[in-house]
Amino acid sequence: TVPWVAFVDADYRDSQRNIVHLSQAGLSIDREYYLSADSRSTQQREYLRATMGQLLALAGYTDAATMATDGIALEAQLARIQNSNVDNRDVERTYNITTHSQLVSDTPELFTGLQLAALGIAADYPVNVMQPEYLRQLRQVFHQTDVAGWRKYLAARVVLHYAELLSDDFTAVVSAYDIQRGLYQVRPPQWQLAIAYLNDNVGMLLGKLYVDAYFDDGIKADVTAITDAIKEEYRLSISASDRLGSETRRSALHKLD
């Protein structure tokens, strides 16, 4: 729900270790919808504004419509300084390793150190800042926006993000919004939504419990052998391909290892 997110994942250049990745975030709809004036983008922004207003009103805010409008205006500011989807697919561009102390020094207004500490991430853990220019410009937006503006934005983001977990009147608003956006024509059964929520939010935790309980050395050896066989097939295919240049082939084999 905030303008940036921290998560742990494999190092792009060393798959044997995990590192912290810090990435842009904080938009309720695709970035492109904020940057375009076409009819579809305008419609998507209006759907979002109306939905946020309804949810904030249900949450007890008396100035819900104003909060929704102001929250979306701040999201538009964030969209204008964020990287495009194309840029975010560029592994080299999104690989900018720094230290915990340097990150804290570079972003004093954003309290990134407190966020990492709250997540239980040790101070000696390497951090990959995926969009460093975004963080630099976010500092300016932080200074230009008063506390009341951030409160409106965060309230709108929180109520939209968690509405599905609230009472039926909240879920009805979100369901209508999802149908407007074309995500589905009829709201899925609650059990399907519950499974999807678990997969999105606790899938890795459940996986760890499963591995601890059932993933013995014999199964691990079998899975490792299967993985090694797949990697070898990839190696043969990459080496034999006549569509790859020497540098691309070398890079692909390096990633495979």
Side-chain angles (χ1 to χ4, degrees), residues 20-257:
V20 178
H21 298 268
L22 201 69
S23 178
Q24 64 188 31
L27 302 184
S28 302
I29 54 178
D30 288 344
R31 170 180 177 269
E32 288 69 24
Y33 288 140
Y34 286 112
L35 304 182
S36 176
D38 63 41
S39 59
R40 177 170 174 77
S41 298
T42 301
Q43 184 181 62
Q44 290 298 318
R45 294 194 299 271
E46 177 55 28
Y47 285 160
L48 176 62
R49 186 203 61 75
T51 300
M52 280 185 170
Q54 292 177 63
L55 292 173
L56 287 165
L58 288 172
Y61 290 97
T62 56
D63 56 344
T66 300
M67 291 178 66
T69 298
D70 291 350
I72 290 174
L74 185 48
E75 286 199 25
Q77 281 188 269
L78 298 178
R80 286 191 287 271
I81 64 174
Q82 289 191 356
N83 283 16
S84 68
N85 290 334
V86 173
D87 289 339
N88 286 332
R89 288 195 290 268
D90 187 329
V91 176
E92 297 299 323
R93 189 166 187 158
T94 56
Y95 190 80
N96 307 279
I97 298 295
T98 188
T99 62
H100 182 283
S101 59
Q102 187 63 52
L103 174 65
V104 172
S105 176
D106 290 344
T107 57
E109 306 89 345
L110 305 183
F111 304 103
T112 48
L114 292 178
Q115 182 187 23
L116 296 182
L119 293 172
I121 297 171
D124 60 349
Y125 224 61
V127 180
N128 175 33
V129 179
M130 298 179 68
Q131 302 93 7
E133 180 59 26
Y134 168 69
L135 284 188
R136 282 192 286 271
Q137 294 193 54
L138 179 59
R139 294 177 62 189
Q140 298 177 21
V141 175
F142 187 89
H143 284 296
Q144 294 165 358
T145 307
D146 60 19
V147 173
W150 284 111
R151 284 177 174 168
K152 292 175 183 178
Y153 162 79
L154 291 172
R157 290 280 295 154
V158 167
V159 74
L160 181 66
H161 187 75
Y162 291 104
E164 289 252 75
L165 304 179
L166 302 176
S167 57
D168 289 346
D169 45 359
F170 283 89
T171 58
V173 172
V174 175
S175 178
Y177 176 52
D178 289 342
I179 291 173
Q180 281 181 322
R181 293 190 295 159
L183 298 187
Y184 46 73
Q185 293 183 336
V186 179
R187 178 180 170 85
Q190 193 65 26
W191 66 268
Q192 287 186 3
L193 296 174
I195 291 175
Y197 184 84
L198 287 173
N199 286 338
D200 288 342
N201 293 277
V202 297
M204 296 296 287
L205 294 175
L206 287 176
K208 184 178 185 305
L209 292 175
Y210 179 87
V211 168
D212 290 343
Y214 301 107
F215 203 71
D216 59 29
D217 290 341
I219 295 176
K220 182 177 181 179
D222 291 341
V223 172
T224 299
I226 292 171
T227 303
D228 288 343
I230 293 172
K231 288 176 64 178
E232 185 59 27
E233 288 299 319
Y234 271 120
R235 189 185 313 281
L236 294 172
S237 177
I238 292 169
S239 299
S241 175
D242 58 3
R243 300 175 60 186
L244 302 178
S246 58
E247 182 59 27
T248 302
R249 180 178 289 103
R250 184 199 64 77
S251 178
L253 291 172
H254 176 73
K255 290 180 180 179
L256 187 62
D257 294 330

